[in-house]
Amino acid sequence: MLIKYFLFCFLNLILISNIILSQVEIRDSVECSNSSLDIGSNNSGISFGNSQNWNGIRFNVSDCEIKNINGINITFWNPKEVGNSNVNGLSIGLTPSAGNINGISIGGAVVAEGNMNGINLGILASVAEQNMTGINFGGLALVSQGSISGINFGGLAQVAENNLTGFNFGGLALVSSGVIAGINIGGLALVSEGNITGINLGGLALVSKGKINGINFGGLAVVSNDEINGLNIGGLTVTNSSGIMGLNITAGLLQSKWKITGLSFAGYKTKAAELNGINISPIWSDIEELNGISIAGFNRIKNVQTGITIGLVNFAEILHGIQIGLINIVENNPAPFKILPFFNANL
């Protein structure tokens, strides 16, 4: 689990740095001027300055204690204080910011102290203290203390305290304390405290404390504390504690402390308390209970074999089936049938 802890530490640094960078002003003594030059009436038209409520087109250097802005909002510097404000429409600036942002937002960083909804394009980052929904882009990262949902791109990473759902891409990683669901691509890894569901690709690894379901590929590993179900491919290992089911492929170790079910291929070793289906491991299979077929250099069935094993050496404590290989050992057969060349059986 070292990959997981490294990623959480690294991406928490991204979270902290982006929040600090996007809110660099000192808030000990915020003084706001609400003066503005307005062309129009009833808070509608064109406004130049720090108008608190406006409908139309608005230009300001730095927003401070705004309330409701609807239309086009153009700012040139970091905000001082946005509080529970709402900006709806098109927001453009160095750091478009508000309590809630709805619409299209474009800037060096886009920051919402509440929710962010719409099309959000932050050259460095898009950061929401609650939920982020829509088409969300952060040149370095997307960071949310709530959920991120929609079409989501983080140049380095996406980090969510809650769920990540939709089409999710992180150049290095996707990290969620909740669920990751949809089409999910992390250049290095997908890391979730909850379930990972959908089409899931981690360049190095998929790591989940919950279930991993769908088409699951980890360049080095697919690792879960709960079930792994679907098309499961791990370069070096596919491993969990609670069961692996589907088409399971790895060049190294396929391992479950409970069941492996389906069609399985492990280049080095298959290890399970129970295996149901067809297993191919050119070097070694170490199984407590087999129900099906296992083909390996050495098949070691520690408890009950129900089915067929094919290998150079086959061993079964209790056999209800057939062994085919150079040496075939069956502990529950009477002498002289405990050890036989080429073929052994107990039907």
Side-chain angles (χ1 to χ4, degrees):
M1 300 298 283
L2 290 176
I3 294 174
K4 174 183 171 182
Y5 294 124
F6 168 80
L7 285 169
F8 268 115
C9 292
F10 174 74
L11 291 166
N12 280 329
L13 287 175
I14 293 176
L15 169 61
I16 294 168
S17 63
N18 276 291
I19 291 175
I20 291 173
L21 285 172
S22 63
Q23 301 182 23
V24 293
E25 78 287 349
I26 298 174
R27 300 194 180 198
D28 290 339
S29 57
V30 175
E31 295 183 1
C32 299
S33 171
N34 296 322
S35 62
S36 61
L37 173 62
D38 302 330
I39 303 173
S41 61
N42 297 321
N43 295 326
S44 300
I46 301 175
S47 178
F48 299 88
N50 194 51
S51 47
Q52 290 185 303
N53 296 283
W54 197 257
N55 303 304
I57 302 174
R58 179 179 180 274
F59 298 88
N60 193 21
V61 175
S62 177
D63 285 342
C64 186
E65 293 185 350
I66 59 174
K67 294 181 179 177
N68 294 290
I69 308 299
N70 302 301
I72 299 174
N73 188 47
I74 300 173
T75 56
F76 300 97
W77 198 244
N78 292 324
K80 292 181 180 179
E81 177 62 58
V82 293
N84 295 319
S85 60
N86 297 287
V87 173
N88 306 305
L90 174 62
S91 301
I92 301 174
L94 177 66
T95 310
S97 302
N100 297 299
I101 297 176
N102 304 298
I104 301 174
S105 305
I106 303 171
V110 180
V111 180
E113 293 189 5
N115 296 313
M116 183 182 297
N117 304 303
I119 300 174
N120 310 298
L121 308 176
I123 295 171
L124 292 178
S126 293
V127 180
E129 291 192 12
Q130 293 184 21
N131 298 321
M132 185 183 300
T133 304
I135 299 174
N136 307 301
F137 174 90
L140 292 179
L142 297 180
V143 181
S144 172
Q145 292 185 19
S147 297
I148 299 176
S149 59
I151 300 174
N152 310 306
F153 177 92
L156 290 180
Q158 291 185 44
V159 184
E161 288 291 322
N162 206 329
N163 301 326
L164 271 172
T165 58
F167 174 77
N168 306 304
F169 175 86
L172 289 180
L174 303 179
V175 178
S176 170
S177 295
V179 169
I180 299 178
I183 300 175
N184 311 304
I185 302 171
L188 289 181
L190 270 66
V191 182
S192 174
E193 292 284 330
N195 299 331
I196 298 177
T197 303
I199 299 174
N200 310 306
L201 169 64
L204 289 180
L206 301 182
V207 181
S208 173
K209 275 192 173 180
K211 297 178 181 180
I212 300 178
N213 301 308
I215 299 174
N216 311 306
F217 175 85
L220 292 181
V222 177
V223 181
S224 171
N225 284 348
D226 208 321
E227 296 177 0
I228 301 175
N229 302 308
L231 171 58
N232 311 306
I233 303 173
L236 293 181
T237 184
V238 177
T239 182
N240 80 345
S241 302
S242 302
I244 300 171
M245 179 165 29
L247 176 57
N248 314 303
I249 302 172
T250 177
L253 173 65
L254 176 64
Q255 176 176 260
S256 175
K257 291 183 179 180
W258 193 41
K259 293 181 180 180
I260 297 176
T261 302
L263 176 59
S264 304
F265 177 87
Y268 164 58
K269 181 180 180 181
T270 298
K271 182 176 177 63
E274 181 179 330
L275 190 141
N276 304 302
I278 299 174
N279 170 67
I280 301 173
S281 299
I283 296 177
W284 188 9
S285 291
D286 189 356
I287 301 164
E288 294 282 343
E289 182 177 335
L290 171 66
N291 301 294
I293 300 172
S294 181
I295 302 171
F298 174 35
N299 285 298
R300 184 186 182 194
I301 314 303
K302 295 179 182 178
N303 195 357
V304 179
Q305 172 188 328
T306 303
I308 300 171
T309 54
I310 301 173
L312 297 176
V313 178
N314 299 302
F315 172 87
E317 186 78 25
I318 300 171
L319 177 63
H320 301 295
I322 297 171
Q323 296 175 329
I324 301 172
L326 292 180
I327 300 173
N328 303 286
I329 303 168
V330 181
E331 286 291 303
N332 69 316
N333 271 359
F337 303 108
K338 286 184 179 290
I339 303 175
L340 292 176
F342 307 125
F343 180 88
N344 209 339
N346 187 321
L347 303 175

